Amino acid sequence: MALKVKAPSLISAMLLLVVLMASLDLTGAQIGVCYGMLGDGLPSKQEVVALYTQRGIKRMRLYDPNPDALRALRGSNIELILGVPNTDLQTLSSSPDKANGWVQNNVRNYGNVKFRYIAVGNEVSPSNGNTAQFVPYVLPAMQNLFAAVKAAGLGGQIKVSTAVDFGILGQSSPPSKGAFRDDVRSFLDPIIRFLTTNQAPLLVNIYPYFSYVGNPADIKLDFALFTASKVVVQDGSNGYQNLFDAMLDSV
């Protein structure tokens, strides 16, 4: 899969965003690169994987099990978070057989892809009007996929979780006072219990720049862009020079 590509042109063409996802176990927090596919004139999947390799990017997030992307990842040793689209949750929640088929088709058929997490749904929340309809299906889908992964003998390799947005927090400042919104607790608490039981992280999408755009009067740009030269927020014994760390600790 060694391709000669012009990295700068690919970088400008690819819709890549930093994967700002953290777990409840802070020692497991990782940073990688999301592979977005919404756009025109995008490079081939093989070129994208080659760019990851050239740039030493060891982790990728796919929002859905794109077969071409999964084939391109074979043998790359890139650790993968594989997403389950929200539109698939109802089917997977209602049928263990469907979950087994999903794991067979999208995981087991790609034995030399380094799967690390399956993210069951993205930013589903009862407080989000665009995704609230999927709330009843997230945990049952997670449970069925967890059982399917375990039955496939991959339970020690792949963790099953879900990705939530930062809007699930009712309070985030100061970070030590971070708390979930009351109206998401009935949805989120059982998920967290499931994750705790199975020693899996909660995945959180954290976007410091969007927080800055929404509140530029109180958030300095250098704080959002990791360029502050000194501590900006002091919270007890913890000092924060960037917004990402502060947002992470609030979760």
Side-chain angles (χ1 to χ4, degrees):
M1 234 181 286
L3 298 177
K4 293 183 179 180
V5 296
K6 295 180 179 179
S9 62
L10 282 179
I11 290 174
S12 64
M14 292 170 62
L15 301 178
L16 297 179
L17 297 173
V18 175
V19 180
L20 299 178
M21 295 178 301
S23 75
L24 293 176
D25 173 9
L26 299 186
T27 61
Q30 301 288 348
I31 294 178
V33 176
C34 293
Y35 179 10
M37 300 183 190
L38 298 179
D40 298 322
L42 298 178
S44 71
K45 309 302 186 292
Q46 291 82 2
E47 289 175 313
V48 171
V49 172
L51 178 59
Y52 272 69
T53 301
Q54 290 172 0
R55 297 298 183 183
I57 300 168
K58 302 297 185 182
R59 300 177 183 92
M60 176 188 289
R61 179 182 181 183
L62 287 177
Y63 292 96
D64 63 85
N66 181 281
D68 291 336
L70 291 172
R71 282 191 289 269
L73 282 165
R74 284 174 168 160
S76 67
N77 208 38
I78 293 172
E79 294 183 353
L80 182 65
I81 297 177
L82 180 61
V84 177
N86 294 340
T87 51
D88 292 348
L89 296 178
Q90 183 173 6
T91 297
L92 293 171
S93 71
S94 64
S95 171
D97 287 341
K98 293 290 187 181
N100 287 331
W102 194 96
V103 170
Q104 177 64 52
N105 294 333
N106 301 308
V107 178
R108 295 190 70 185
N109 284 353
Y110 303 93
N112 53 350
V113 173
K114 199 170 184 179
F115 296 95
R116 186 174 183 193
Y117 298 109
I118 295 175
V120 184
N122 185 51
E123 300 191 349
V124 175
S125 169
S127 65
N128 184 335
N130 294 323
T131 64
Q133 61 183 308
F134 303 111
V135 163
Y137 311 124
V138 176
L139 182 57
M142 291 173 65
Q143 292 168 330
N144 284 343
L145 284 168
F146 172 82
V149 167
K150 186 175 181 180
L154 299 172
Q157 172 187 336
I158 301 172
K159 298 294 186 179
V160 175
S161 184
T162 187
V164 298
D165 69 285
F166 195 72
I168 63 171
L169 290 185
Q171 181 175 347
S172 60
S173 181
S176 61
K177 299 295 184 181
F180 295 123
R181 294 169 52 135
D182 290 340
D183 58 354
V184 305
R185 293 299 298 265
S186 62
F187 163 67
L188 199 55
D189 286 359
I191 289 175
I192 292 175
R193 285 195 293 269
F194 171 83
L195 295 174
T196 301
T197 298
N198 296 296
Q199 298 182 315
L202 176 67
L203 305 177
V204 184
N205 299 331
I206 298 177
Y207 308 108
Y209 182 72
F210 292 161
S211 294
Y212 161 75
V213 170
N215 189 16
D218 295 324
I219 299 175
K220 294 182 178 179
L221 183 59
D222 60 353
F223 188 52
L225 296 179
F226 300 88
T227 57
S229 60
K230 60 182 179 180
V231 170
V232 177
V233 173
Q234 189 69 45
D235 182 12
S237 61
N238 295 322
Y240 298 93
Q241 283 188 237
N242 67 79
L243 181 57
F244 173 78
D245 284 345
M247 294 174 72
L248 170 60
D249 276 6
S250 69
V251 180

